[in-house]
Every structure is written in C-alpha cells, then in structure tokens.
Amino acid sequence: METLKNVLLVLHIAGFAGIIGGVMMQMPKVKEGAAKINGAILHSSLLQLVTGLALVGMAYGMGNGDFVNNAKIGVKTVVVIAIVVIALVFKKKQNVSAGVFGAIGGLALLNMVIAVMWH
C-alpha cells in the first residue's frame, strides 16, 4: 500500500507540473492570438483531481483518517475543480487570453502553496 501511495503522490506532483508546463507552452502564442487550452492543462488537472481524491481515500482506508486535514483537502479540491472547470469552459475556444492562463497557473501555484504551507 505504501508503494501505491507513493505512486499516486508522484502522479499528483506530475499533474501540477503538467498544468504549469501546459500554461508555459501557450504563453508565447498569446501574442499571436493563437493560444488555446491544450491537453496538458486539461488532462493534468484531471490527474491532480483523481490522484488527490485517491490519496485521501487511501489515508482513510489505511486507518490514517485522523491525520487528514479535511479543511485543507476541501480547499485544495475546490481549487483543482476550478482549474478543471476553467479548462473545460475554454477548451473549445480558438483564442484564449493571457488572463485565463494566468488564472489557471495561479490556481495551480495556490494549490501547491496550500499543500506545502498548510499544516
């Protein structure tokens, strides 16, 4: 079970990297008017959502539920759902503004800060 937890954690972190990488890939295209939500952003945000919920489920399943900060998990879940919703809403658009990418990147960074700083 510990190995599965570590694999899920690595995938969760890879989801963060995918979101940030996807945003960074599109930033040069914003000036050209050709920026759009790519698969890296959408799939990585879904990866973060699924692996995050799996990690919490595993903690409760392994009897470590007393150590789970439910408020922190709730806030992180709301933030990643916001990323997924923004990505889904703007996925069909051919030209997405820098503000949308800033919001997605900012929310991803906020989620990382919450994960590291909130004890």
Side-chain angles (χ1 to χ4, degrees), residues 6-39:
N6 289 335
V7 168
L8 287 172
L9 184 59
V10 167
L11 289 172
H12 192 68
I13 294 168
F16 167 76
I19 294 170
I20 295 299
V23 167
M24 297 302 288
M25 283 176 21
Q26 292 300 311
M27 289 314 250
K29 295 179 181 179
V30 169
K31 292 180 184 175
E32 302 167 11
K36 57 184 178 179
I37 301 295
N38 55 22

PDB file of all heavy atoms in Angstrom, residues 6-39:
ATOM      1  N   ASN A   6       2.860   6.145  -2.789  1.00  0.00           N
ATOM      2  CA  ASN A   6       3.966   6.914  -3.369  1.00  0.00           C
ATOM      3  C   ASN A   6       3.783   7.131  -4.870  1.00  0.00           C
ATOM      4  O   ASN A   6       4.094   8.204  -5.392  1.00  0.00           O
ATOM      5  CB  ASN A   6       5.296   6.225  -3.083  1.00  0.00           C
ATOM      6  CG  ASN A   6       5.692   6.324  -1.628  1.00  0.00           C
ATOM      7  OD1 ASN A   6       5.283   7.238  -0.920  1.00  0.00           O
ATOM      8  ND2 ASN A   6       6.475   5.372  -1.160  1.00  0.00           N
ATOM      9  N   VAL A   7       3.271   6.121  -5.566  1.00  0.00           N
ATOM     10  CA  VAL A   7       2.995   6.265  -6.998  1.00  0.00           C
ATOM     11  C   VAL A   7       1.930   7.339  -7.213  1.00  0.00           C
ATOM     12  O   VAL A   7       2.054   8.201  -8.096  1.00  0.00           O
ATOM     13  CB  VAL A   7       2.574   4.915  -7.620  1.00  0.00           C
ATOM     14  CG1 VAL A   7       2.003   5.113  -9.018  1.00  0.00           C
ATOM     15  CG2 VAL A   7       3.753   3.959  -7.657  1.00  0.00           C
ATOM     16  N   LEU A   8       0.879   7.309  -6.418  1.00  0.00           N
ATOM     17  CA  LEU A   8      -0.173   8.324  -6.533  1.00  0.00           C
ATOM     18  C   LEU A   8       0.371   9.718  -6.237  1.00  0.00           C
ATOM     19  O   LEU A   8       0.006  10.690  -6.906  1.00  0.00           O
ATOM     20  CB  LEU A   8      -1.335   8.005  -5.593  1.00  0.00           C
ATOM     21  CG  LEU A   8      -2.219   6.838  -5.989  1.00  0.00           C
ATOM     22  CD1 LEU A   8      -3.208   6.500  -4.868  1.00  0.00           C
ATOM     23  CD2 LEU A   8      -2.954   7.135  -7.284  1.00  0.00           C
ATOM     24  N   LEU A   9       1.243   9.819  -5.251  1.00  0.00           N
ATOM     25  CA  LEU A   9       1.834  11.109  -4.914  1.00  0.00           C
ATOM     26  C   LEU A   9       2.693  11.638  -6.062  1.00  0.00           C
ATOM     27  O   LEU A   9       2.624  12.824  -6.406  1.00  0.00           O
ATOM     28  CB  LEU A   9       2.657  11.003  -3.627  1.00  0.00           C
ATOM     29  CG  LEU A   9       3.253  12.306  -3.094  1.00  0.00           C
ATOM     30  CD1 LEU A   9       2.165  13.324  -2.813  1.00  0.00           C
ATOM     31  CD2 LEU A   9       4.061  12.031  -1.836  1.00  0.00           C
ATOM     32  N   VAL A  10       3.485  10.777  -6.666  1.00  0.00           N
ATOM     33  CA  VAL A  10       4.309  11.182  -7.814  1.00  0.00           C
ATOM     34  C   VAL A  10       3.414  11.633  -8.966  1.00  0.00           C
ATOM     35  O   VAL A  10       3.675  12.651  -9.610  1.00  0.00           O
ATOM     36  CB  VAL A  10       5.255  10.038  -8.244  1.00  0.00           C
ATOM     37  CG1 VAL A  10       5.878  10.315  -9.597  1.00  0.00           C
ATOM     38  CG2 VAL A  10       6.337   9.831  -7.188  1.00  0.00           C
ATOM     39  N   LEU A  11       2.345  10.898  -9.232  1.00  0.00           N
ATOM     40  CA  LEU A  11       1.417  11.288 -10.298  1.00  0.00           C
ATOM     41  C   LEU A  11       0.725  12.606  -9.975  1.00  0.00           C
ATOM     42  O   LEU A  11       0.476  13.427 -10.868  1.00  0.00           O
ATOM     43  CB  LEU A  11       0.384  10.188 -10.534  1.00  0.00           C
ATOM     44  CG  LEU A  11       0.905   8.922 -11.203  1.00  0.00           C
ATOM     45  CD1 LEU A  11      -0.175   7.844 -11.204  1.00  0.00           C
ATOM     46  CD2 LEU A  11       1.392   9.217 -12.609  1.00  0.00           C
ATOM     47  N   HIS A  12       0.420  12.834  -8.701  1.00  0.00           N
ATOM     48  CA  HIS A  12      -0.204  14.089  -8.274  1.00  0.00           C
ATOM     49  C   HIS A  12       0.740  15.264  -8.544  1.00  0.00           C
ATOM     50  O   HIS A  12       0.321  16.292  -9.071  1.00  0.00           O
ATOM     51  CB  HIS A  12      -0.560  13.990  -6.789  1.00  0.00           C
ATOM     52  CG  HIS A  12      -1.444  15.076  -6.300  1.00  0.00           C
ATOM     53  ND1 HIS A  12      -2.762  15.207  -6.699  1.00  0.00           N
ATOM     54  CD2 HIS A  12      -1.223  16.095  -5.436  1.00  0.00           C
ATOM     55  CE1 HIS A  12      -3.290  16.256  -6.102  1.00  0.00           C
ATOM     56  NE2 HIS A  12      -2.372  16.817  -5.328  1.00  0.00           N
ATOM     57  N   ILE A  13       1.998  15.089  -8.217  1.00  0.00           N
ATOM     58  CA  ILE A  13       3.004  16.131  -8.468  1.00  0.00           C
ATOM     59  C   ILE A  13       3.219  16.311  -9.968  1.00  0.00           C
ATOM     60  O   ILE A  13       3.376  17.437 -10.462  1.00  0.00           O
ATOM     61  CB  ILE A  13       4.311  15.815  -7.728  1.00  0.00           C
ATOM     62  CG1 ILE A  13       4.074  15.877  -6.209  1.00  0.00           C
ATOM     63  CG2 ILE A  13       5.428  16.772  -8.137  1.00  0.00           C
ATOM     64  CD1 ILE A  13       5.188  15.309  -5.371  1.00  0.00           C
ATOM     65  N   ALA A  14       3.200  15.214 -10.717  1.00  0.00           N
ATOM     66  CA  ALA A  14       3.327  15.302 -12.174  1.00  0.00           C
ATOM     67  C   ALA A  14       2.143  16.072 -12.765  1.00  0.00           C
ATOM     68  O   ALA A  14       2.298  16.797 -13.762  1.00  0.00           O
ATOM     69  CB  ALA A  14       3.419  13.908 -12.784  1.00  0.00           C
ATOM     70  N   GLY A  15       0.969  15.949 -12.176  1.00  0.00           N
ATOM     71  CA  GLY A  15      -0.191  16.717 -12.613  1.00  0.00           C
ATOM     72  C   GLY A  15       0.046  18.207 -12.461  1.00  0.00           C
ATOM     73  O   GLY A  15      -0.287  18.997 -13.352  1.00  0.00           O
ATOM     74  N   PHE A  16       0.632  18.600 -11.342  1.00  0.00           N
ATOM     75  CA  PHE A  16       0.978  20.011 -11.138  1.00  0.00           C
ATOM     76  C   PHE A  16       1.957  20.475 -12.208  1.00  0.00           C
ATOM     77  O   PHE A  16       1.770  21.532 -12.824  1.00  0.00           O
ATOM     78  CB  PHE A  16       1.580  20.218  -9.742  1.00  0.00           C
ATOM     79  CG  PHE A  16       2.235  21.556  -9.568  1.00  0.00           C
ATOM     80  CD1 PHE A  16       1.465  22.688  -9.391  1.00  0.00           C
ATOM     81  CD2 PHE A  16       3.611  21.680  -9.596  1.00  0.00           C
ATOM     82  CE1 PHE A  16       2.064  23.935  -9.240  1.00  0.00           C
ATOM     83  CE2 PHE A  16       4.217  22.905  -9.458  1.00  0.00           C
ATOM     84  CZ  PHE A  16       3.441  24.049  -9.266  1.00  0.00           C
ATOM     85  N   ALA A  17       2.981  19.683 -12.438  1.00  0.00           N
ATOM     86  CA  ALA A  17       3.984  20.042 -13.449  1.00  0.00           C
ATOM     87  C   ALA A  17       3.359  20.136 -14.841  1.00  0.00           C
ATOM     88  O   ALA A  17       3.711  21.014 -15.633  1.00  0.00           O
ATOM     89  CB  ALA A  17       5.121  19.017 -13.449  1.00  0.00           C
ATOM     90  N   GLY A  18       2.416  19.263 -15.132  1.00  0.00           N
ATOM     91  CA  GLY A  18       1.744  19.293 -16.427  1.00  0.00           C
ATOM     92  C   GLY A  18       0.909  20.540 -16.618  1.00  0.00           C
ATOM     93  O   GLY A  18       0.874  21.118 -17.717  1.00  0.00           O
ATOM     94  N   ILE A  19       0.235  20.976 -15.567  1.00  0.00           N
ATOM     95  CA  ILE A  19      -0.558  22.202 -15.654  1.00  0.00           C
ATOM     96  C   ILE A  19       0.357  23.396 -15.912  1.00  0.00           C
ATOM     97  O   ILE A  19       0.118  24.190 -16.836  1.00  0.00           O
ATOM     98  CB  ILE A  19      -1.387  22.429 -14.372  1.00  0.00           C
ATOM     99  CG1 ILE A  19      -2.439  21.340 -14.212  1.00  0.00           C
ATOM    100  CG2 ILE A  19      -2.046  23.812 -14.399  1.00  0.00           C
ATOM    101  CD1 ILE A  19      -3.133  21.346 -12.865  1.00  0.00           C
ATOM    102  N   ILE A  20       1.400  23.518 -15.110  1.00  0.00           N
ATOM    103  CA  ILE A  20       2.321  24.649 -15.271  1.00  0.00           C
ATOM    104  C   ILE A  20       3.009  24.577 -16.628  1.00  0.00           C
ATOM    105  O   ILE A  20       3.140  25.591 -17.324  1.00  0.00           O
ATOM    106  CB  ILE A  20       3.359  24.668 -14.119  1.00  0.00           C
ATOM    107  CG1 ILE A  20       2.653  24.919 -12.782  1.00  0.00           C
ATOM    108  CG2 ILE A  20       4.430  25.726 -14.364  1.00  0.00           C
ATOM    109  CD1 ILE A  20       1.907  26.228 -12.679  1.00  0.00           C
ATOM    110  N   GLY A  21       3.432  23.397 -17.048  1.00  0.00           N
ATOM    111  CA  GLY A  21       4.073  23.239 -18.353  1.00  0.00           C
ATOM    112  C   GLY A  21       3.130  23.586 -19.490  1.00  0.00           C
ATOM    113  O   GLY A  21       3.518  24.247 -20.460  1.00  0.00           O
ATOM    114  N   GLY A  22       1.874  23.171 -19.387  1.00  0.00           N
ATOM    115  CA  GLY A  22       0.891  23.489 -20.409  1.00  0.00           C
ATOM    116  C   GLY A  22       0.637  24.978 -20.516  1.00  0.00           C
ATOM    117  O   GLY A  22       0.500  25.526 -21.618  1.00  0.00           O
ATOM    118  N   VAL A  23       0.583  25.648 -19.372  1.00  0.00           N
ATOM    119  CA  VAL A  23       0.399  27.106 -19.380  1.00  0.00           C
ATOM    120  C   VAL A  23       1.610  27.784 -20.005  1.00  0.00           C
ATOM    121  O   VAL A  23       1.470  28.674 -20.852  1.00  0.00           O
ATOM    122  CB  VAL A  23       0.152  27.626 -17.937  1.00  0.00           C
ATOM    123  CG1 VAL A  23       0.265  29.133 -17.875  1.00  0.00           C
ATOM    124  CG2 VAL A  23      -1.210  27.170 -17.437  1.00  0.00           C
ATOM    125  N   MET A  24       2.790  27.358 -19.609  1.00  0.00           N
ATOM    126  CA  MET A  24       4.017  27.983 -20.142  1.00  0.00           C
ATOM    127  C   MET A  24       4.151  27.761 -21.649  1.00  0.00           C
ATOM    128  O   MET A  24       4.655  28.631 -22.361  1.00  0.00           O
ATOM    129  CB  MET A  24       5.251  27.441 -19.415  1.00  0.00           C
ATOM    130  CG  MET A  24       5.279  27.758 -17.930  1.00  0.00           C
ATOM    131  SD  MET A  24       5.199  29.505 -17.564  1.00  0.00           S
ATOM    132  CE  MET A  24       6.803  30.013 -18.077  1.00  0.00           C
ATOM    133  N   MET A  25       3.702  26.610 -22.145  1.00  0.00           N
ATOM    134  CA  MET A  25       3.773  26.327 -23.583  1.00  0.00           C
ATOM    135  C   MET A  25       2.900  27.285 -24.383  1.00  0.00           C
ATOM    136  O   MET A  25       3.213  27.613 -25.530  1.00  0.00           O
ATOM    137  CB  MET A  25       3.313  24.894 -23.871  1.00  0.00           C
ATOM    138  CG  MET A  25       4.331  23.846 -23.547  1.00  0.00           C
ATOM    139  SD  MET A  25       3.781  22.123 -23.761  1.00  0.00           S
ATOM    140  CE  MET A  25       2.414  22.186 -24.842  1.00  0.00           C
ATOM    141  N   GLN A  26       1.810  27.728 -23.809  1.00  0.00           N
ATOM    142  CA  GLN A  26       0.863  28.568 -24.541  1.00  0.00           C
ATOM    143  C   GLN A  26       1.167  30.064 -24.440  1.00  0.00           C
ATOM    144  O   GLN A  26       0.668  30.843 -25.248  1.00  0.00           O
ATOM    145  CB  GLN A  26      -0.561  28.304 -24.052  1.00  0.00           C
ATOM    146  CG  GLN A  26      -1.064  26.929 -24.397  1.00  0.00           C
ATOM    147  CD  GLN A  26      -1.096  26.678 -25.886  1.00  0.00           C
ATOM    148  OE1 GLN A  26      -1.599  27.474 -26.669  1.00  0.00           O
ATOM    149  NE2 GLN A  26      -0.523  25.555 -26.300  1.00  0.00           N
ATOM    150  N   MET A  27       1.973  30.472 -23.483  1.00  0.00           N
ATOM    151  CA  MET A  27       2.223  31.904 -23.281  1.00  0.00           C
ATOM    152  C   MET A  27       2.805  32.608 -24.518  1.00  0.00           C
ATOM    153  O   MET A  27       2.355  33.710 -24.840  1.00  0.00           O
ATOM    154  CB  MET A  27       3.095  32.136 -22.043  1.00  0.00           C
ATOM    155  CG  MET A  27       2.345  31.866 -20.752  1.00  0.00           C
ATOM    156  SD  MET A  27       0.715  32.595 -20.720  1.00  0.00           S
ATOM    157  CE  MET A  27       0.931  33.859 -19.537  1.00  0.00           C
ATOM    158  N   PRO A  28       3.750  32.025 -25.246  1.00  0.00           N
ATOM    159  CA  PRO A  28       4.237  32.718 -26.447  1.00  0.00           C
ATOM    160  C   PRO A  28       3.157  32.866 -27.526  1.00  0.00           C
ATOM    161  O   PRO A  28       3.189  33.807 -28.313  1.00  0.00           O
ATOM    162  CB  PRO A  28       5.369  31.828 -26.964  1.00  0.00           C
ATOM    163  CG  PRO A  28       5.777  30.997 -25.809  1.00  0.00           C
ATOM    164  CD  PRO A  28       4.561  30.842 -24.960  1.00  0.00           C
ATOM    165  N   LYS A  29       2.190  31.970 -27.524  1.00  0.00           N
ATOM    166  CA  LYS A  29       1.135  32.008 -28.534  1.00  0.00           C
ATOM    167  C   LYS A  29       0.061  33.047 -28.227  1.00  0.00           C
ATOM    168  O   LYS A  29      -0.752  33.367 -29.089  1.00  0.00           O
ATOM    169  CB  LYS A  29       0.504  30.627 -28.675  1.00  0.00           C
ATOM    170  CG  LYS A  29       1.469  29.586 -29.199  1.00  0.00           C
ATOM    171  CD  LYS A  29       0.804  28.246 -29.307  1.00  0.00           C
ATOM    172  CE  LYS A  29       1.816  27.218 -29.809  1.00  0.00           C
ATOM    173  NZ  LYS A  29       1.232  25.890 -29.912  1.00  0.00           N
ATOM    174  N   VAL A  30       0.039  33.571 -26.996  1.00  0.00           N
ATOM    175  CA  VAL A  30      -0.954  34.574 -26.619  1.00  0.00           C
ATOM    176  C   VAL A  30      -0.785  35.817 -27.491  1.00  0.00           C
ATOM    177  O   VAL A  30      -1.765  36.382 -27.982  1.00  0.00           O
ATOM    178  CB  VAL A  30      -0.853  34.925 -25.119  1.00  0.00           C
ATOM    179  CG1 VAL A  30      -1.686  36.141 -24.777  1.00  0.00           C
ATOM    180  CG2 VAL A  30      -1.276  33.735 -24.270  1.00  0.00           C
ATOM    181  N   LYS A  31       0.458  36.246 -27.707  1.00  0.00           N
ATOM    182  CA  LYS A  31       0.723  37.443 -28.520  1.00  0.00           C
ATOM    183  C   LYS A  31       0.278  37.259 -29.965  1.00  0.00           C
ATOM    184  O   LYS A  31      -0.123  38.204 -30.621  1.00  0.00           O
ATOM    185  CB  LYS A  31       2.206  37.793 -28.477  1.00  0.00           C
ATOM    186  CG  LYS A  31       2.679  38.269 -27.130  1.00  0.00           C
ATOM    187  CD  LYS A  31       4.150  38.604 -27.140  1.00  0.00           C
ATOM    188  CE  LYS A  31       4.605  38.983 -25.753  1.00  0.00           C
ATOM    189  NZ  LYS A  31       6.049  39.198 -25.701  1.00  0.00           N
ATOM    190  N   GLU A  32       0.348  36.035 -30.448  1.00  0.00           N
ATOM    191  CA  GLU A  32      -0.051  35.736 -31.824  1.00  0.00           C
ATOM    192  C   GLU A  32      -1.563  35.573 -31.952  1.00  0.00           C
ATOM    193  O   GLU A  32      -2.080  35.495 -33.063  1.00  0.00           O
ATOM    194  CB  GLU A  32       0.616  34.434 -32.293  1.00  0.00           C
ATOM    195  CG  GLU A  32       2.115  34.439 -32.242  1.00  0.00           C
ATOM    196  CD  GLU A  32       2.695  33.047 -32.418  1.00  0.00           C
ATOM    197  OE1 GLU A  32       1.945  32.114 -32.776  1.00  0.00           O
ATOM    198  OE2 GLU A  32       3.901  32.890 -32.186  1.00  0.00           O
ATOM    199  N   GLY A  33      -2.262  35.485 -30.830  1.00  0.00           N
ATOM    200  CA  GLY A  33      -3.698  35.254 -30.863  1.00  0.00           C
ATOM    201  C   GLY A  33      -4.071  33.815 -31.166  1.00  0.00           C
ATOM    202  O   GLY A  33      -5.166  33.538 -31.637  1.00  0.00           O
ATOM    203  N   ALA A  34      -3.152  32.913 -30.919  1.00  0.00           N
ATOM    204  CA  ALA A  34      -3.386  31.502 -31.239  1.00  0.00           C
ATOM    205  C   ALA A  34      -3.336  30.601 -30.010  1.00  0.00           C
ATOM    206  O   ALA A  34      -3.260  29.385 -30.137  1.00  0.00           O
ATOM    207  CB  ALA A  34      -2.351  31.030 -32.258  1.00  0.00           C
ATOM    208  N   ALA A  35      -3.373  31.176 -28.818  1.00  0.00           N
ATOM    209  CA  ALA A  35      -3.276  30.374 -27.600  1.00  0.00           C
ATOM    210  C   ALA A  35      -4.597  29.656 -27.338  1.00  0.00           C
ATOM    211  O   ALA A  35      -5.671  30.210 -27.563  1.00  0.00           O
ATOM    212  CB  ALA A  35      -2.924  31.264 -26.412  1.00  0.00           C
ATOM    213  N   LYS A  36      -4.500  28.426 -26.898  1.00  0.00           N
ATOM    214  CA  LYS A  36      -5.695  27.667 -26.535  1.00  0.00           C
ATOM    215  C   LYS A  36      -5.356  26.696 -25.412  1.00  0.00           C
ATOM    216  O   LYS A  36      -4.198  26.411 -25.143  1.00  0.00           O
ATOM    217  CB  LYS A  36      -6.261  26.937 -27.744  1.00  0.00           C
ATOM    218  CG  LYS A  36      -5.321  25.995 -28.430  1.00  0.00           C
ATOM    219  CD  LYS A  36      -5.982  25.427 -29.666  1.00  0.00           C
ATOM    220  CE  LYS A  36      -5.025  24.510 -30.395  1.00  0.00           C
ATOM    221  NZ  LYS A  36      -5.642  23.939 -31.584  1.00  0.00           N
ATOM    222  N   ILE A  37      -6.404  26.214 -24.783  1.00  0.00           N
ATOM    223  CA  ILE A  37      -6.223  25.233 -23.703  1.00  0.00           C
ATOM    224  C   ILE A  37      -5.795  23.919 -24.346  1.00  0.00           C
ATOM    225  O   ILE A  37      -6.496  23.362 -25.182  1.00  0.00           O
ATOM    226  CB  ILE A  37      -7.532  25.038 -22.912  1.00  0.00           C
ATOM    227  CG1 ILE A  37      -8.010  26.348 -22.292  1.00  0.00           C
ATOM    228  CG2 ILE A  37      -7.358  23.953 -21.858  1.00  0.00           C
ATOM    229  CD1 ILE A  37      -7.087  26.920 -21.240  1.00  0.00           C
ATOM    230  N   ASN A  38      -4.623  23.450 -23.959  1.00  0.00           N
ATOM    231  CA  ASN A  38      -4.102  22.216 -24.556  1.00  0.00           C
ATOM    232  C   ASN A  38      -4.403  21.016 -23.650  1.00  0.00           C
ATOM    233  O   ASN A  38      -4.884  21.159 -22.531  1.00  0.00           O
ATOM    234  CB  ASN A  38      -2.599  22.344 -24.843  1.00  0.00           C
ATOM    235  CG  ASN A  38      -1.793  22.725 -23.625  1.00  0.00           C
ATOM    236  OD1 ASN A  38      -2.218  22.530 -22.499  1.00  0.00           O
ATOM    237  ND2 ASN A  38      -0.619  23.273 -23.851  1.00  0.00           N
ATOM    238  N   GLY A  39      -4.117  19.858 -24.183  1.00  0.00           N
ATOM    239  CA  GLY A  39      -4.371  18.631 -23.443  1.00  0.00           C
ATOM    240  C   GLY A  39      -3.572  18.531 -22.157  1.00  0.00           C
ATOM    241  O   GLY A  39      -4.036  17.926 -21.190  1.00  0.00           O
TER     242      GLY A  39
END
